Amino acid sequence: MFFKKHDTFIASDSTIPLLCQPSACNPKRQIITTVTTVRDENFKPISNFETMLHLLKGNIGTGLFAMPGAFQNAGLWTGSVLTIITACICTHCMHILVTSAAILQKRKGHEVSVSYADVAEIAFQTGSQQFVKHAKLARVLVSLFICVTQLGFCCVYVVFASTNLKQVVDYYAPHLQWDVRQFMCLVTIPLIFLNWLRDLKLLAPVSLLANILQSISIVIVFYYIARDGLPPMDSTPAFNNWIGVSLFFGTVVFSFEGIGLILPIQKDMRHPRDFEGWNGILNVAMILVTCLALAMGFYGYLKYGAEIQGSITLNLPQDEMYALLFVFYRLQHAITLHLITKVLLNYYRLARLVKVFMVLAIFGSYTMQFYVPIPILWPVLEKKIETFNKHPLVSELMFRTLLVLLTLSLAAAIPKIDLYISLVGAMTGSLLALIFPPILEIVTCWPDVSKMAIVKNFLIVIFGLTGFTSGTYASIKKILSPTT
């Protein structure tokens, strides 16, 4: 990239070739493109380590805690194999999107596509003449499904938070007997005010707290999985049934659906050439995500078997939440840790509120996911409805409030974590993660597309469409089932 300073341009290390790999347009030709965007001199690029953290945060969430339930649907070994296959395909589609963006950068000169919707529109605009008329539609479709997916994530967070909060309250106040939907209304109140924050910088502390609490939650879950040993592997079926496999597909795609973050993160890197390649940051991050999801699903299902719930956090014993503190107590590497842990052990009842920490983590995750559709939806409404222009701030806050209430209504309609995750993953995640990228690669390179690339992309689209149709059907059928 170039930094403008004193009317001169200083080339930074980001002008090193971003991609150097066979192009889908011509596998015999190496494409070498550079990021040549003009940025403010105060811009601070992110390091490789920060890039890795962003990728991990974008792909690790509530879907991770639903993986044991997904393994129950598919079977222990079937789920293991399909998790690896789906992760490989999703990662390859991320590479497709980055490669297509690089080709479009070269085609457009200094203009850089920094979002999924930008790539979709420019691919059709600059592609073969027969695709040009569909450019606007491509952008609208990608933007629409991004919004639906993000709001779907928010619905899952509401269900997740209220279900965990209900379990905690039921333990301390068993006489209350509130329905989970009442807890959803309770959780929504702080969410409304949190989502009135319009500046992303103000959300940074909330996001940081969410990441810390989520990391603690993952450690706690693995502690309980490993404690007291594991049952034999033949205690759970290797394969369940095909309906279960369809439900599994939606959950695993939900867990790997971070493709919308790829281009913005890569754009902000100090060394964008390190993003790609077989040992690049993208592959390393996705391998870590895959290993974590595989371990959570495999060992979580093996541990709890048929008793596994929609989120494995609901399987944690209510009266033993303090046990993890003994692990830290034995680690006495520092006096401070020793003293703090000793105090907590004296008041171990507070440690039972760890599920409340998970609920607080969801508040941070919700606000970050909710931030994405606002700049897509609000400008459209603001232009269409003149009334909004008279009181823009009040109107936007009302719009944000209505969107939060919409996620509450949708969550209350389907208060099942596992089914909601499977539905969102199959219905919207499969389109963004598996179906759109291969189509964009073909449109970008048409008519100079190799036969191998056409066959490969066709198979990926078929895989995505199969998961989309079967996963959506199985999820809706399960939701409408009277026994659910």
Side-chain angles (χ1 to χ4, degrees):
M1 64 187 172
F2 296 91
F3 293 99
K4 191 174 183 180
K5 188 174 183 180
H6 305 302
D7 296 326
T8 60
F9 285 94
I10 304 172
S12 75
D13 186 45
S14 295
T15 57
I16 295 175
L18 171 64
L19 294 174
C20 184
Q21 61 184 38
S23 168
C25 308
N26 188 346
K28 295 181 180 179
R29 177 170 57 89
Q30 300 280 320
I31 61 168
I32 300 178
T33 63
T34 59
V35 177
T36 55
T37 183
V38 178
R39 288 175 176 151
D40 187 87
E41 62 180 359
N42 295 322
F43 172 77
K44 295 181 179 180
I46 59 177
S47 65
N48 289 355
F49 180 72
E50 291 172 319
T51 302
M52 178 75 71
L53 290 181
H54 286 312
L55 287 174
L56 292 176
K57 286 189 295 185
N59 287 278
I60 296 175
T62 53
L64 178 67
F65 298 117
M67 285 301 293
F71 271 60
Q72 182 189 33
N73 288 327
L76 189 65
W77 293 107
T78 304
S80 301
V81 173
L82 290 180
T83 296
I84 297 173
I85 292 175
T86 307
C88 290
I89 296 176
C90 287
T91 304
H92 177 68
C93 287
M94 293 177 183
H95 283 283
I96 287 178
L97 187 62
V98 174
T99 305
S100 298
I103 295 173
L104 295 173
Q105 287 174 23
K106 188 176 182 180
R107 188 178 295 169
K108 294 284 287 184
H110 70 277
E111 298 180 27
V112 179
S113 302
V114 295
S115 73
Y116 201 155
D118 290 336
V119 171
E121 183 177 26
I122 297 175
F124 279 80
Q125 280 179 345
T126 61
S128 181
Q129 189 63 34
Q130 57 189 319
F131 300 129
V132 175
K133 60 182 179 180
H134 302 299
K136 207 67 179 178
L137 177 62
R139 183 181 188 87
V140 170
L141 282 177
V142 171
S143 298
L144 174 64
F145 279 104
I146 287 176
C147 291
V148 173
T149 300
Q150 297 302 123
L151 293 177
F153 289 163
C154 292
C155 293
V156 170
Y157 293 150
V158 171
V159 178
F160 183 92
S162 57
T163 306
N164 280 274
L165 185 60
K166 172 178 167 56
Q167 197 178 65
V168 172
V169 173
D170 286 348
Y171 179 82
Y172 284 100
H175 59 280
L176 195 59
Q177 294 298 311
W178 274 16
D179 183 76
V180 68
R181 293 176 177 85
Q182 291 174 284
F183 285 99
M184 289 181 184
C185 296
L186 186 64
V187 166
T188 301
I189 295 174
L191 286 177
I192 290 175
F193 295 106
L194 275 174
N195 287 286
W196 280 1
L197 298 175
R198 301 167 68 239
D199 190 347
L200 192 59
K201 292 181 180 179
L202 297 177
L203 296 177
V206 180
S207 177
L208 177 62
L209 177 63
N211 294 330
I212 294 173
L213 295 177
Q214 189 177 72
S215 300
I216 294 173
S217 302
I218 294 173
V219 172
I220 291 173
V221 169
F222 274 112
Y223 166 76
Y224 277 103
I225 289 175
R227 195 185 69 168
D228 301 328
L230 293 169
M233 291 188 181
D234 57 1
S235 61
T236 54
F239 174 81
N240 192 356
N241 56 63
W242 290 110
I243 295 294
V245 170
S246 299
L247 293 171
F248 169 87
F249 175 85
T251 303
V252 74
V253 170
F254 183 96
S255 301
F256 294 129
E257 210 290 291
I259 193 168
L261 300 171
I262 299 302
L263 294 178
I265 289 176
Q266 175 264 327
K267 173 185 71 73
D268 291 340
M269 288 182 64
R270 181 179 294 116
H271 308 294
R273 66 172 182 178
D274 296 337
F275 193 73
E276 282 283 296
W278 69 270
N279 61 343
I281 295 175
L282 177 57
N283 280 352
V284 173
M286 291 309 297
I287 288 173
L288 293 175
V289 171
T290 302
C291 291
L292 191 59
L294 189 62
M296 182 70 77
F298 186 92
Y299 293 111
Y301 177 42
L302 186 62
K303 175 72 174 184
Y304 295 105
E307 297 179 0
I308 192 69
Q309 299 192 46
S311 171
I312 193 173
T313 57
L314 301 176
N315 287 95
L316 301 184
Q318 284 284 78
D319 56 346
E320 298 178 5
M321 300 303 290
Y322 64 90
L324 185 67
L325 293 175
F326 286 100
V327 177
F328 292 108
Y329 186 75
R330 295 191 187 104
L331 293 179
Q332 302 174 21
H333 292 305
I335 296 177
T336 304
L337 179 63
H338 173 83
L339 293 176
I340 291 175
T341 309
K342 197 167 185 177
V343 171
L344 288 174
L345 285 172
N346 290 331
Y347 298 94
Y348 66 86
R349 289 175 183 268
L350 293 177
R352 293 173 182 168
L353 297 180
V354 67
K355 291 188 180 182
V356 176
F357 295 161
M358 298 179 189
V359 174
L360 294 176
I362 289 301
F363 288 157
S365 300
Y366 185 105
T367 54
M368 295 305 296
Q369 299 291 348
F370 189 85
Y371 189 85
V372 175
I374 295 298
I376 298 175
L377 297 175
W378 176 242
V380 177
L381 290 177
E382 198 173 21
K383 291 179 181 178
K384 297 290 183 182
I385 304 177
E386 295 182 0
T387 308
F388 290 161
N389 296 325
K390 298 178 181 179
H391 307 284
L393 178 59
V394 175
S395 299
E396 182 178 347
L397 294 181
M398 288 178 58
F399 174 68
R400 288 170 175 264
T401 302
L402 289 175
L403 269 188
V404 174
L405 294 177
L406 174 63
T407 61
L408 167 64
S409 302
L410 294 174
I414 314 172
K416 297 289 184 180
I417 299 176
D418 52 343
L419 296 181
Y420 223 124
I421 289 177
S422 181
L423 179 62
V424 173
M427 183 178 290
T428 62
S430 58
L431 288 167
L432 292 174
L434 297 170
I435 297 175
F436 287 162
I439 294 175
L440 290 179
E441 184 178 46
I442 292 176
V443 171
T444 299
C445 299
W446 192 267
D448 302 321
V449 187
S450 66
K451 293 181 179 179
M452 183 177 295
I454 293 176
V455 172
K456 180 260 297 181
N457 288 328
F458 176 77
L459 292 176
I460 294 176
V461 170
I462 292 298
F463 178 78
L465 287 174
T466 302
F468 168 79
T469 53
S470 63
T472 303
Y473 171 78
S475 300
I476 293 177
K477 183 180 179 181
K478 191 79 172 178
I479 289 169
L480 299 178
S481 173
T483 58
T484 302

